[in-house]
Structure formats: structure tokens, C-alpha cells
Amino acid sequence: RLAFPQVKMQFRGATSSAECVEKLFRDPVDLAFVTIGDDIEGIRQHPVLELDYVLLTGRDHPLAKRAKLRLADLDGLACIGLIEGTTSRSQLASSLSRQGVALETAMTVYDWDTAIHLVELGLGSSIVPSWHAHASAARAAVLAIPIAGLDPIRVGWAMRESYELLKPAREFMRMLKDDLQSR
């Protein structure tokens, strides 16, 4: 704010990385924060963080007594998962499949926040990025149990290749990256 007092920012919500990318092409949007996935024609992606996955579950769940889970512990587990077609769901399913682990999808949602709220309501368990889960585990009757051997999820910035970001946007990217990596 001090360096660029004239700049006004607007944040828009989206339920998936694909929707974020659509907004980059369709709307006057400079940046999107997405799950880093396959290359997309016309889009540059800049990873910021790698996040481990955790099982977010109720304290009365049979796995709740474990300090850390192995992938084999998850085989056949009924979970709240993201809808088909999201980058995050595809990457998680691929990582589990390579290890011979299959989950049962008991419910599907559009975003991690909804999955977390359903877990907090006692409606099931969900495999979610650690970043999302720890705040929930600190304030609710749920646990975030680390999962060993699961590929992390990468998140970061996406922008149009043909678009040169203005200095305030580049500074915002740097500030957010520095803040996230210091936590």
C-alpha cells in the first residue's frame, strides 16, 4: 500500500484451477492462484509452495490414534473428495493409483473448504493439503494426520503468457511468496 497507493486490487473467487484459467482468458484478471498442473497453452505457471497431504478426520475415527499414516492405511477408505475434472483430484488420484491405493469417494465437493466443513460437521474424512487442514484441526474436533509416501500438491501463480505484469502485481506475487514460505 505504501509503495503503490494508487493501485486498487480486486479478488475474485473460483472453485477450481480450470475456472481460474478461464477467468485469465475471459476477464480482466492479471493473476490466478492455482494448483500447478500440466502445461496450458497461453498460460505461464510459477510454483510457490509444495504442500503435503493429510487425512482430516474426526477424533473418533479408527485411524485417529495414529501419528502418521502409510498409504496402505488409506486403501478402501471412504472419503469426501473434490469433483471429477479438478487438477487437485486428478493429481491425488494418480499419486494413489501409482501406489496401488484406491479410495471410495463417499461425497464430492467443489473445493477444499467445503470438504473441511463437512469433516468438521462429522460427515466423513477427507485427504486435504496440510495448509488447509491445520487451521481446522486447531479449532475443531478433528485431526490432521500426516500421510507418508504421497506426492505433495504444488500451488502457485498462473498468468497469460502474452501479458507483461505491472510492477505492483509482481511485487504482490513476491510479497505473498515470501510470506507463505516463511510459515
Side-chain angles (χ1 to χ4, degrees):
R1 301 289 338 140
L2 293 174
F4 304 102
Q6 75 285 5
V7 172
K8 294 182 181 176
M9 297 174 70
Q10 180 182 39
F11 293 87
R12 298 179 184 187
T15 58
S16 69
S17 295
E19 186 179 343
C20 288
V21 170
E22 286 175 27
K23 286 178 183 271
L24 284 171
F25 284 121
R26 186 184 66 227
D27 299 339
V29 173
D30 295 324
L31 293 167
F33 203 76
V34 300
T35 299
I36 301 296
D38 295 333
D39 290 340
I40 302 167
E41 188 173 337
I43 296 292
R44 286 182 289 175
Q45 297 181 75
H46 298 276
V48 174
L49 288 175
E50 282 193 353
L51 303 170
D52 292 325
Y53 281 103
V54 298
L55 178 68
L56 191 66
T57 194
R59 294 181 184 280
D60 59 346
H61 192 278
L63 294 174
K65 292 178 177 39
R66 308 254 181 104
K68 192 170 210 169
L69 299 174
R70 299 169 296 129
L71 288 176
D73 297 327
L74 303 175
D75 199 31
L77 186 67
C79 283
I80 300 165
L82 295 182
I83 61 167
E84 291 281 344
T86 63
T87 304
S88 298
R89 179 180 171 134
S90 298
Q91 288 177 359
L92 178 59
S94 177
S95 181
L96 290 167
S97 177
R98 281 193 305 276
Q99 302 293 329
V101 175
L103 299 177
E104 178 187 327
T105 303
M107 257 183 261
T108 57
V109 296
Y110 281 89
D111 56 66
W112 296 120
D113 292 331
T114 303
I116 289 167
H117 289 304
L118 293 175
V119 173
E120 290 174 343
L121 289 170
L123 298 176
S125 302
S126 187
I127 297 174
V128 300
S130 57
W131 181 267
H132 296 285
H134 291 298
S136 178
R139 71 175 186 272
V142 297
L143 295 171
I145 308 168
I147 303 168
L150 197 54
D151 295 339
I153 183 172
R154 294 183 331 144
V155 295
W157 296 109
M159 67 197 75
R160 292 181 300 275
E161 282 183 350
S162 61
Y163 188 72
E164 185 60 38
L165 288 176
L166 298 175
K167 189 173 182 178
R170 290 192 314 269
E171 180 62 14
F172 179 73
M173 287 174 62
R174 185 201 60 74
M175 286 175 52
L176 186 63
K177 181 179 180 179
D178 290 350
D179 181 66
L180 291 173
Q181 291 179 341
S182 70
R183 293 176 187 237

